[in-house]
Amino acid sequence: MLIKTFGLILLFSSSQSESLFRPNLPLGEYRLVIDKVYPCETTKNHPIQFNWYFSKKTSSITEYKGNTTLLIPFDDTLTIDYNFASWGSTGGWVPNALIIKTKKACSNVKHLFGNAWLTMIEGFNVPTNKCPIPVGIYITSGIDKKKFEDMNFPKVYFYGKYKVVLRYKNLNNEVVGCAVTEFSLIRPWETPI
């Protein structure tokens, strides 16, 4: 009887699946999930306009669509102000979670986007993948949103929901373009809500 009991315990313990260690830490490696992308409400008269939106192609594929209008070249004379807001624990956006100001807008965006830069350039039919991007209206028929997850962002950060307002400024410190992106940083094994 003891041998049968021991045999059953051994059988059940060896048939159980391997348990995974999934810590619930506040920061770590993450997956980037872009939730929304839209122009700032004050961009009507800006010389750089990002008229982007998401469109559901299938139940599992969401695409970027829209156009980028450049009335001035997108080059390294521009600067970028990134202003991140985090989603508060009681709801609502908490502004100024992270503020970054960089010069050489085109080169910095190209570096930050990493592999997604070529995806964006090809998807919007831009004639060159080098800086500066010439004046023109660049239209996309659709780029898979998942292709924008492969960027050169820091590989470890705090999990949560964020909103970043990107303001492009000229040499006179005047805003020439503005866009907003809402995204979530989730644990690698989690699924988006």
PDB file of all heavy atoms in Angstrom, residues 157-181:
ATOM      1  N   TYR A 157      11.944  49.666 -17.514  1.00  0.00           N
ATOM      2  CA  TYR A 157      11.273  50.880 -17.043  1.00  0.00           C
ATOM      3  C   TYR A 157      10.111  50.477 -16.153  1.00  0.00           C
ATOM      4  O   TYR A 157       9.783  49.296 -16.029  1.00  0.00           O
ATOM      5  CB  TYR A 157      10.799  51.744 -18.226  1.00  0.00           C
ATOM      6  CG  TYR A 157      10.614  53.188 -17.837  1.00  0.00           C
ATOM      7  CD1 TYR A 157      11.704  54.013 -17.633  1.00  0.00           C
ATOM      8  CD2 TYR A 157       9.348  53.719 -17.639  1.00  0.00           C
ATOM      9  CE1 TYR A 157      11.551  55.331 -17.262  1.00  0.00           C
ATOM     10  CE2 TYR A 157       9.180  55.041 -17.265  1.00  0.00           C
ATOM     11  CZ  TYR A 157      10.283  55.839 -17.073  1.00  0.00           C
ATOM     12  OH  TYR A 157      10.131  57.138 -16.691  1.00  0.00           O
ATOM     13  N   PHE A 158       9.462  51.467 -15.538  1.00  0.00           N
ATOM     14  CA  PHE A 158       8.317  51.216 -14.664  1.00  0.00           C
ATOM     15  C   PHE A 158       7.101  50.818 -15.499  1.00  0.00           C
ATOM     16  O   PHE A 158       6.795  51.460 -16.506  1.00  0.00           O
ATOM     17  CB  PHE A 158       7.980  52.469 -13.845  1.00  0.00           C
ATOM     18  CG  PHE A 158       9.047  52.843 -12.868  1.00  0.00           C
ATOM     19  CD1 PHE A 158      10.006  53.784 -13.186  1.00  0.00           C
ATOM     20  CD2 PHE A 158       9.102  52.229 -11.625  1.00  0.00           C
ATOM     21  CE1 PHE A 158      11.005  54.121 -12.288  1.00  0.00           C
ATOM     22  CE2 PHE A 158      10.097  52.563 -10.712  1.00  0.00           C
ATOM     23  CZ  PHE A 158      11.047  53.511 -11.050  1.00  0.00           C
ATOM     24  N   TYR A 159       6.408  49.778 -15.054  1.00  0.00           N
ATOM     25  CA  TYR A 159       5.195  49.347 -15.750  1.00  0.00           C
ATOM     26  C   TYR A 159       4.099  50.373 -15.526  1.00  0.00           C
ATOM     27  O   TYR A 159       4.045  51.039 -14.503  1.00  0.00           O
ATOM     28  CB  TYR A 159       4.737  47.979 -15.228  1.00  0.00           C
ATOM     29  CG  TYR A 159       5.768  46.890 -15.424  1.00  0.00           C
ATOM     30  CD1 TYR A 159       6.321  46.218 -14.341  1.00  0.00           C
ATOM     31  CD2 TYR A 159       6.205  46.539 -16.693  1.00  0.00           C
ATOM     32  CE1 TYR A 159       7.276  45.224 -14.517  1.00  0.00           C
ATOM     33  CE2 TYR A 159       7.151  45.555 -16.876  1.00  0.00           C
ATOM     34  CZ  TYR A 159       7.686  44.899 -15.789  1.00  0.00           C
ATOM     35  OH  TYR A 159       8.621  43.929 -15.965  1.00  0.00           O
ATOM     36  N   GLY A 160       3.219  50.490 -16.487  1.00  0.00           N
ATOM     37  CA  GLY A 160       2.097  51.401 -16.327  1.00  0.00           C
ATOM     38  C   GLY A 160       1.641  51.980 -17.639  1.00  0.00           C
ATOM     39  O   GLY A 160       2.099  51.609 -18.724  1.00  0.00           O
ATOM     40  N   LYS A 161       0.732  52.919 -17.515  1.00  0.00           N
ATOM     41  CA  LYS A 161       0.131  53.587 -18.670  1.00  0.00           C
ATOM     42  C   LYS A 161       0.700  54.996 -18.739  1.00  0.00           C
ATOM     43  O   LYS A 161       0.760  55.700 -17.730  1.00  0.00           O
ATOM     44  CB  LYS A 161      -1.387  53.619 -18.492  1.00  0.00           C
ATOM     45  CG  LYS A 161      -2.149  54.153 -19.656  1.00  0.00           C
ATOM     46  CD  LYS A 161      -3.640  54.008 -19.394  1.00  0.00           C
ATOM     47  CE  LYS A 161      -4.439  54.609 -20.529  1.00  0.00           C
ATOM     48  NZ  LYS A 161      -5.878  54.485 -20.310  1.00  0.00           N
ATOM     49  N   TYR A 162       1.105  55.412 -19.955  1.00  0.00           N
ATOM     50  CA  TYR A 162       1.747  56.702 -20.137  1.00  0.00           C
ATOM     51  C   TYR A 162       1.149  57.445 -21.329  1.00  0.00           C
ATOM     52  O   TYR A 162       0.605  56.838 -22.246  1.00  0.00           O
ATOM     53  CB  TYR A 162       3.255  56.532 -20.379  1.00  0.00           C
ATOM     54  CG  TYR A 162       3.976  55.931 -19.205  1.00  0.00           C
ATOM     55  CD1 TYR A 162       4.158  54.553 -19.092  1.00  0.00           C
ATOM     56  CD2 TYR A 162       4.473  56.734 -18.189  1.00  0.00           C
ATOM     57  CE1 TYR A 162       4.815  54.000 -18.005  1.00  0.00           C
ATOM     58  CE2 TYR A 162       5.139  56.192 -17.100  1.00  0.00           C
ATOM     59  CZ  TYR A 162       5.308  54.825 -17.020  1.00  0.00           C
ATOM     60  OH  TYR A 162       5.954  54.291 -15.945  1.00  0.00           O
ATOM     61  N   LYS A 163       1.313  58.759 -21.292  1.00  0.00           N
ATOM     62  CA  LYS A 163       0.957  59.612 -22.426  1.00  0.00           C
ATOM     63  C   LYS A 163       2.132  60.552 -22.642  1.00  0.00           C
ATOM     64  O   LYS A 163       2.627  61.165 -21.697  1.00  0.00           O
ATOM     65  CB  LYS A 163      -0.311  60.404 -22.116  1.00  0.00           C
ATOM     66  CG  LYS A 163      -0.671  61.413 -23.206  1.00  0.00           C
ATOM     67  CD  LYS A 163      -2.040  62.037 -22.992  1.00  0.00           C
ATOM     68  CE  LYS A 163      -2.016  63.083 -21.923  1.00  0.00           C
ATOM     69  NZ  LYS A 163      -3.274  63.852 -21.861  1.00  0.00           N
ATOM     70  N   VAL A 164       2.598  60.643 -23.884  1.00  0.00           N
ATOM     71  CA  VAL A 164       3.693  61.550 -24.197  1.00  0.00           C
ATOM     72  C   VAL A 164       3.213  62.562 -25.230  1.00  0.00           C
ATOM     73  O   VAL A 164       2.573  62.208 -26.210  1.00  0.00           O
ATOM     74  CB  VAL A 164       4.953  60.802 -24.694  1.00  0.00           C
ATOM     75  CG1 VAL A 164       4.697  60.025 -25.962  1.00  0.00           C
ATOM     76  CG2 VAL A 164       6.112  61.759 -24.890  1.00  0.00           C
ATOM     77  N   VAL A 165       3.497  63.825 -24.938  1.00  0.00           N
ATOM     78  CA  VAL A 165       3.215  64.912 -25.873  1.00  0.00           C
ATOM     79  C   VAL A 165       4.547  65.322 -26.481  1.00  0.00           C
ATOM     80  O   VAL A 165       5.478  65.695 -25.762  1.00  0.00           O
ATOM     81  CB  VAL A 165       2.547  66.110 -25.164  1.00  0.00           C
ATOM     82  CG1 VAL A 165       2.290  67.234 -26.150  1.00  0.00           C
ATOM     83  CG2 VAL A 165       1.252  65.681 -24.492  1.00  0.00           C
ATOM     84  N   LEU A 166       4.653  65.203 -27.809  1.00  0.00           N
ATOM     85  CA  LEU A 166       5.879  65.550 -28.535  1.00  0.00           C
ATOM     86  C   LEU A 166       5.678  66.900 -29.197  1.00  0.00           C
ATOM     87  O   LEU A 166       4.791  67.047 -30.033  1.00  0.00           O
ATOM     88  CB  LEU A 166       6.164  64.518 -29.631  1.00  0.00           C
ATOM     89  CG  LEU A 166       6.342  63.091 -29.174  1.00  0.00           C
ATOM     90  CD1 LEU A 166       5.963  62.137 -30.271  1.00  0.00           C
ATOM     91  CD2 LEU A 166       7.762  62.873 -28.756  1.00  0.00           C
ATOM     92  N   ARG A 167       6.485  67.858 -28.816  1.00  0.00           N
ATOM     93  CA  ARG A 167       6.412  69.193 -29.424  1.00  0.00           C
ATOM     94  C   ARG A 167       7.717  69.438 -30.182  1.00  0.00           C
ATOM     95  O   ARG A 167       8.792  69.430 -29.592  1.00  0.00           O
ATOM     96  CB  ARG A 167       6.204  70.264 -28.360  1.00  0.00           C
ATOM     97  CG  ARG A 167       4.827  70.251 -27.776  1.00  0.00           C
ATOM     98  CD  ARG A 167       4.608  71.428 -26.809  1.00  0.00           C
ATOM     99  NE  ARG A 167       3.262  71.376 -26.284  1.00  0.00           N
ATOM    100  CZ  ARG A 167       2.896  70.690 -25.202  1.00  0.00           C
ATOM    101  NH1 ARG A 167       3.800  70.006 -24.538  1.00  0.00           N
ATOM    102  NH2 ARG A 167       1.648  70.697 -24.795  1.00  0.00           N
ATOM    103  N   TYR A 168       7.582  69.677 -31.479  1.00  0.00           N
ATOM    104  CA  TYR A 168       8.731  70.004 -32.315  1.00  0.00           C
ATOM    105  C   TYR A 168       8.832  71.520 -32.382  1.00  0.00           C
ATOM    106  O   TYR A 168       7.848  72.201 -32.657  1.00  0.00           O
ATOM    107  CB  TYR A 168       8.560  69.407 -33.712  1.00  0.00           C
ATOM    108  CG  TYR A 168       8.514  67.903 -33.684  1.00  0.00           C
ATOM    109  CD1 TYR A 168       7.308  67.219 -33.565  1.00  0.00           C
ATOM    110  CD2 TYR A 168       9.685  67.161 -33.746  1.00  0.00           C
ATOM    111  CE1 TYR A 168       7.266  65.844 -33.517  1.00  0.00           C
ATOM    112  CE2 TYR A 168       9.650  65.776 -33.703  1.00  0.00           C
ATOM    113  CZ  TYR A 168       8.440  65.124 -33.588  1.00  0.00           C
ATOM    114  OH  TYR A 168       8.418  63.770 -33.538  1.00  0.00           O
ATOM    115  N   LYS A 169      10.048  72.048 -32.136  1.00  0.00           N
ATOM    116  CA  LYS A 169      10.245  73.495 -32.103  1.00  0.00           C
ATOM    117  C   LYS A 169      11.356  73.899 -33.057  1.00  0.00           C
ATOM    118  O   LYS A 169      12.316  73.157 -33.266  1.00  0.00           O
ATOM    119  CB  LYS A 169      10.592  73.949 -30.682  1.00  0.00           C
ATOM    120  CG  LYS A 169       9.466  73.710 -29.697  1.00  0.00           C
ATOM    121  CD  LYS A 169       9.810  74.223 -28.313  1.00  0.00           C
ATOM    122  CE  LYS A 169       8.649  74.021 -27.352  1.00  0.00           C
ATOM    123  NZ  LYS A 169       8.970  74.531 -26.014  1.00  0.00           N
ATOM    124  N   ASN A 170      11.219  75.115 -33.608  1.00  0.00           N
ATOM    125  CA  ASN A 170      12.247  75.642 -34.508  1.00  0.00           C
ATOM    126  C   ASN A 170      13.313  76.406 -33.726  1.00  0.00           C
ATOM    127  O   ASN A 170      13.290  76.430 -32.493  1.00  0.00           O
ATOM    128  CB  ASN A 170      11.608  76.494 -35.614  1.00  0.00           C
ATOM    129  CG  ASN A 170      10.894  77.719 -35.073  1.00  0.00           C
ATOM    130  OD1 ASN A 170      11.073  78.123 -33.927  1.00  0.00           O
ATOM    131  ND2 ASN A 170      10.063  78.325 -35.916  1.00  0.00           N
ATOM    132  N   LEU A 171      14.207  77.062 -34.444  1.00  0.00           N
ATOM    133  CA  LEU A 171      15.303  77.794 -33.789  1.00  0.00           C
ATOM    134  C   LEU A 171      14.811  78.968 -32.954  1.00  0.00           C
ATOM    135  O   LEU A 171      15.493  79.409 -32.030  1.00  0.00           O
ATOM    136  CB  LEU A 171      16.303  78.287 -34.841  1.00  0.00           C
ATOM    137  CG  LEU A 171      17.076  77.191 -35.578  1.00  0.00           C
ATOM    138  CD1 LEU A 171      17.880  77.782 -36.724  1.00  0.00           C
ATOM    139  CD2 LEU A 171      17.975  76.424 -34.628  1.00  0.00           C
ATOM    140  N   ASN A 172      13.619  79.485 -33.252  1.00  0.00           N
ATOM    141  CA  ASN A 172      13.028  80.585 -32.486  1.00  0.00           C
ATOM    142  C   ASN A 172      12.212  80.085 -31.296  1.00  0.00           C
ATOM    143  O   ASN A 172      11.479  80.855 -30.687  1.00  0.00           O
ATOM    144  CB  ASN A 172      12.154  81.457 -33.385  1.00  0.00           C
ATOM    145  CG  ASN A 172      12.952  82.094 -34.491  1.00  0.00           C
ATOM    146  OD1 ASN A 172      14.120  82.425 -34.312  1.00  0.00           O
ATOM    147  ND2 ASN A 172      12.330  82.247 -35.654  1.00  0.00           N
ATOM    148  N   ASN A 173      12.285  78.781 -31.017  1.00  0.00           N
ATOM    149  CA  ASN A 173      11.550  78.142 -29.920  1.00  0.00           C
ATOM    150  C   ASN A 173      10.029  78.188 -30.114  1.00  0.00           C
ATOM    151  O   ASN A 173       9.275  78.166 -29.157  1.00  0.00           O
ATOM    152  CB  ASN A 173      11.942  78.747 -28.564  1.00  0.00           C
ATOM    153  CG  ASN A 173      11.772  77.744 -27.441  1.00  0.00           C
ATOM    154  OD1 ASN A 173      11.888  76.539 -27.643  1.00  0.00           O
ATOM    155  ND2 ASN A 173      11.493  78.244 -26.254  1.00  0.00           N
ATOM    156  N   GLU A 174       9.592  78.252 -31.366  1.00  0.00           N
ATOM    157  CA  GLU A 174       8.167  78.216 -31.693  1.00  0.00           C
ATOM    158  C   GLU A 174       7.775  76.787 -32.031  1.00  0.00           C
ATOM    159  O   GLU A 174       8.509  76.079 -32.730  1.00  0.00           O
ATOM    160  CB  GLU A 174       7.866  79.116 -32.899  1.00  0.00           C
ATOM    161  CG  GLU A 174       8.219  80.573 -32.689  1.00  0.00           C
ATOM    162  CD  GLU A 174       8.215  81.367 -33.981  1.00  0.00           C
ATOM    163  OE1 GLU A 174       8.410  80.772 -35.064  1.00  0.00           O
ATOM    164  OE2 GLU A 174       8.035  82.593 -33.889  1.00  0.00           O
ATOM    165  N   VAL A 175       6.620  76.354 -31.552  1.00  0.00           N
ATOM    166  CA  VAL A 175       6.139  75.005 -31.836  1.00  0.00           C
ATOM    167  C   VAL A 175       5.736  74.925 -33.310  1.00  0.00           C
ATOM    168  O   VAL A 175       4.927  75.720 -33.785  1.00  0.00           O
ATOM    169  CB  VAL A 175       4.956  74.638 -30.923  1.00  0.00           C
ATOM    170  CG1 VAL A 175       4.401  73.269 -31.293  1.00  0.00           C
ATOM    171  CG2 VAL A 175       5.377  74.660 -29.464  1.00  0.00           C
ATOM    172  N   VAL A 176       6.327  73.966 -34.038  1.00  0.00           N
ATOM    173  CA  VAL A 176       6.015  73.783 -35.455  1.00  0.00           C
ATOM    174  C   VAL A 176       5.281  72.471 -35.715  1.00  0.00           C
ATOM    175  O   VAL A 176       4.812  72.225 -36.824  1.00  0.00           O
ATOM    176  CB  VAL A 176       7.285  73.856 -36.329  1.00  0.00           C
ATOM    177  CG1 VAL A 176       7.885  75.247 -36.275  1.00  0.00           C
ATOM    178  CG2 VAL A 176       8.294  72.804 -35.919  1.00  0.00           C
ATOM    179  N   GLY A 177       5.156  71.627 -34.705  1.00  0.00           N
ATOM    180  CA  GLY A 177       4.442  70.364 -34.831  1.00  0.00           C
ATOM    181  C   GLY A 177       4.208  69.760 -33.465  1.00  0.00           C
ATOM    182  O   GLY A 177       4.989  69.988 -32.542  1.00  0.00           O
ATOM    183  N   CYS A 178       3.115  69.006 -33.336  1.00  0.00           N
ATOM    184  CA  CYS A 178       2.785  68.430 -32.040  1.00  0.00           C
ATOM    185  C   CYS A 178       1.972  67.157 -32.243  1.00  0.00           C
ATOM    186  O   CYS A 178       1.069  67.122 -33.084  1.00  0.00           O
ATOM    187  CB  CYS A 178       1.995  69.449 -31.217  1.00  0.00           C
ATOM    188  SG  CYS A 178       1.682  68.924 -29.525  1.00  0.00           S
ATOM    189  N   ALA A 179       2.296  66.118 -31.486  1.00  0.00           N
ATOM    190  CA  ALA A 179       1.569  64.852 -31.552  1.00  0.00           C
ATOM    191  C   ALA A 179       1.514  64.240 -30.157  1.00  0.00           C
ATOM    192  O   ALA A 179       2.365  64.516 -29.309  1.00  0.00           O
ATOM    193  CB  ALA A 179       2.247  63.888 -32.520  1.00  0.00           C
ATOM    194  N   VAL A 180       0.499  63.405 -29.929  1.00  0.00           N
ATOM    195  CA  VAL A 180       0.311  62.735 -28.642  1.00  0.00           C
ATOM    196  C   VAL A 180       0.248  61.230 -28.880  1.00  0.00           C
ATOM    197  O   VAL A 180      -0.409  60.773 -29.824  1.00  0.00           O
ATOM    198  CB  VAL A 180      -0.995  63.205 -27.961  1.00  0.00           C
ATOM    199  CG1 VAL A 180      -1.185  62.508 -26.622  1.00  0.00           C
ATOM    200  CG2 VAL A 180      -1.007  64.714 -27.790  1.00  0.00           C
ATOM    201  N   THR A 181       0.929  60.484 -28.033  1.00  0.00           N
ATOM    202  CA  THR A 181       0.864  59.024 -28.075  1.00  0.00           C
ATOM    203  C   THR A 181       0.565  58.514 -26.676  1.00  0.00           C
ATOM    204  O   THR A 181       1.215  58.923 -25.717  1.00  0.00           O
ATOM    205  CB  THR A 181       2.192  58.421 -28.572  1.00  0.00           C
ATOM    206  OG1 THR A 181       2.493  58.941 -29.860  1.00  0.00           O
ATOM    207  CG2 THR A 181       2.120  56.909 -28.641  1.00  0.00           C
TER     208      THR A 181
END
